[in-house]
């Protein structure tokens, strides 16, 4: 959606100016979401390398101490919802081997 096609009906805005601002902001959010998805996919690939190295050396697939560090990092940065976000990300990154 571009600012030229963003309508008050599509955005819920009550003015054309607000609709244009919302349209531009949604485009930016969509681009950010694409980047976030790409970063998560990259993280999944790196996690798979770590898991493979750990398993091939006789270790466990998951390191719970490390996962707790990650959960704490997200919680500290984003609050309680950060913990849920980190849990979802960790779930995506587990068991891909």
């Amino acid at each position: 959606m571009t600012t030229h096609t963003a309508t008050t009906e599509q955005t819920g805005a009550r003015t054309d100016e607000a609709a244009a601002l919302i349209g531009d902001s949604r485009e930016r959010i969509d681009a950010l979401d694409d980047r976030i998805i790409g970063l998560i996919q990259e993280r999944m690939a790196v996690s798979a390398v770590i898991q493979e190295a750990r398993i091939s050396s006789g270790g466990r697939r998951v390191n719970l101490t490390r996962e707790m560090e990650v959960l704490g990092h997200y919680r500290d940065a984003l609050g309680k919802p950060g913990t849920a976000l980190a849990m979802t990300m960790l779930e995506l990154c587990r068991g891909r081997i």
Side-chain angles (χ1 to χ4, degrees), residues 58-89:
R60 297 177 146 200
R61 178 175 53 88
V62 175
N63 181 326
L64 295 179
T65 301
R66 173 62 179 153
E67 288 196 358
M68 293 305 292
E69 290 173 3
V70 172
L71 290 170
H73 181 70
Y74 275 71
R75 182 188 60 247
D76 292 347
L78 302 172
K80 186 177 178 182
T83 303
L85 177 62
M87 286 295 296
T88 299
M89 184 192 57

Side-chain angles (χ1 to χ4, degrees), residues 24-72:
D24 287 345
S25 296
R26 284 181 178 172
E27 285 181 12
R28 185 163 181 220
I29 285 173
D30 290 345
L32 289 167
D33 285 344
D34 288 343
R35 288 172 49 197
I36 291 166
I37 290 166
L39 288 170
I40 291 171
Q41 289 170 331
E42 183 178 347
R43 190 189 194 287
M44 290 168 65
V46 172
S47 182
V49 169
I50 292 169
Q51 289 176 47
E52 187 174 314
R54 191 181 299 120
I55 291 168
S56 67
S57 71
R60 297 177 146 200
R61 178 175 53 88
V62 175
N63 181 326
L64 295 179
T65 301
R66 173 62 179 153
E67 288 196 358
M68 293 305 292
E69 290 173 3
V70 172
L71 290 170

Side-chain angles (χ1 to χ4, degrees), residues 4-36:
H4 297 90
T5 60
T7 66
T8 55
E9 183 178 306
Q10 291 170 319
T11 63
R14 296 189 178 233
T15 66
D16 290 339
E17 181 178 282
L21 176 66
I22 291 168
D24 287 345
S25 296
R26 284 181 178 172
E27 285 181 12
R28 185 163 181 220
I29 285 173
D30 290 345
L32 289 167
D33 285 344
D34 288 343
R35 288 172 49 197
I36 291 166

